[in-house]
Structures are given as C-alpha cells and as structure tokens.
Amino acid sequence: MKLHELSPAPGSVKAVKRIGRGHGSGQGKTAGKGHKGQWARSGGGVKPGFEGGQTKLAMRVPKRGFNNKNFATVYATVNVSDLERKFENGAVVDEAAIVEAGLLKKTLDGVKVLGRGEITKSLTVKVAKFSESAKSKIESAGGKAEVI
C-alpha cells in the first residue's frame, strides 16, 4: 500500500452543503435561513440557556446545601524535582525562596511540597505542608522537612 492509494471508507466522507450558490442548488437566495428574523442574521441566535427573556431555568431552581469552597485552604504545590533543579546543596528553602527562584508566582494559603521526582541535595525545606513521599525523600537525601 502506498500513500496515494489511501482513501477513506465508502460513505464516511460527505460533501459539504454549499449554501448561497444559486437557486439551482436548492440552497440559494436566503441560503436555508428563511426571511429575516433573528436566525437569518449574521451572528444571530441566542446564548445557551436563554429562554426569550423569561428567567432561565438555572436561575429559577432553588439553590440548596452548603459549599465550603470559599473557606477551603488552597495550597500552591511544588515537587521535589523542582527543588533539586533550582536550589544548591545545603540551601534553606522557604516560601520566599521558592517564589524568588521562579517556581511559583503566588503562595496562596501556603506551599505544599509533593513527591514527584528524585532529590539528591541536602536541603532544609520550611513550608506549610509535605506529602509523605516528599518528606521521606528529603530526609533520605540528608535534608530537613520542617512544617511552619
């Protein structure tokens, strides 16, 4: 089989409907859009959920229950492989140093170190949280994992 012998399966490719190309095509003049009105206009139509000015269903149904999202603690995350890449052996790594190194833009409610990757440098890491794997990797490399 060669590239020029390839073709799609019969019936899988359908010709595009060419609208507005003369009345002999069956889709001429108004191009299947009828006469005037919202749907005949360029860019016409309504956004999803719009009900012609009636209050939308999403606004009519009662909202129930409690959602803790506004009060949840959100941690900015950094992997041990990032610490290995950006910091020298024996360095003290805290939230300010992580931002200065360009690993994070904001610390949010604190920084959590995750265990993806390997670490060989002995670092003293002072952040809000550690995953179990991150803590064990840092300590096995001769460093310290301190929760602040």
Side-chain angles (χ1 to χ4, degrees):
M1 178 176 283
K2 297 182 176 75
L3 280 176
H4 70 274
E5 294 172 348
L6 291 173
S7 66
S12 69
V13 179
K14 191 175 173 187
V16 172
K17 183 192 284 185
R18 297 184 69 228
I19 59 173
R21 292 292 180 272
H23 69 88
S25 69
Q27 291 293 328
K29 195 186 171 197
T30 55
K33 287 178 170 270
H35 291 275
K36 299 187 182 177
Q38 188 168 26
W39 298 100
R41 310 290 186 200
S42 155
V46 294
K47 57 190 171 193
F50 184 71
E51 297 186 26
Q54 173 174 299
T55 307
K56 325 186 245 192
L57 179 67
M59 292 176 75
R60 290 197 309 265
V61 296
K63 313 295 185 290
R64 300 212 40 208
F66 174 73
N67 187 331
N68 200 30
K69 189 182 102 174
N70 298 335
F71 310 104
T73 306
V74 181
Y75 292 103
T77 58
V78 174
N79 283 299
V80 290
S81 60
D82 300 328
L83 301 180
E84 169 79 17
R85 189 166 37 93
K86 289 283 188 176
F87 294 99
E88 296 301 318
N89 196 14
V92 176
V93 180
D94 59 358
E95 293 180 358
I98 290 171
V99 171
E100 196 176 300
L103 292 174
L104 294 174
K105 284 192 174 148
K106 290 194 266 184
T107 58
L108 303 176
D109 296 330
V111 175
K112 181 172 182 176
V113 178
L114 303 178
R116 176 177 280 175
E118 297 303 319
I119 187 165
T120 57
K121 296 175 182 170
S122 174
L123 301 173
T124 304
V125 186
K126 299 177 180 180
V127 293
K129 274 193 128 168
F130 294 91
S131 70
E132 285 297 317
S133 61
K135 193 170 188 175
S136 64
K137 284 180 182 181
I138 291 167
E139 289 171 352
S140 66
K144 285 185 189 170
E146 297 179 19
V147 176
I148 55 166

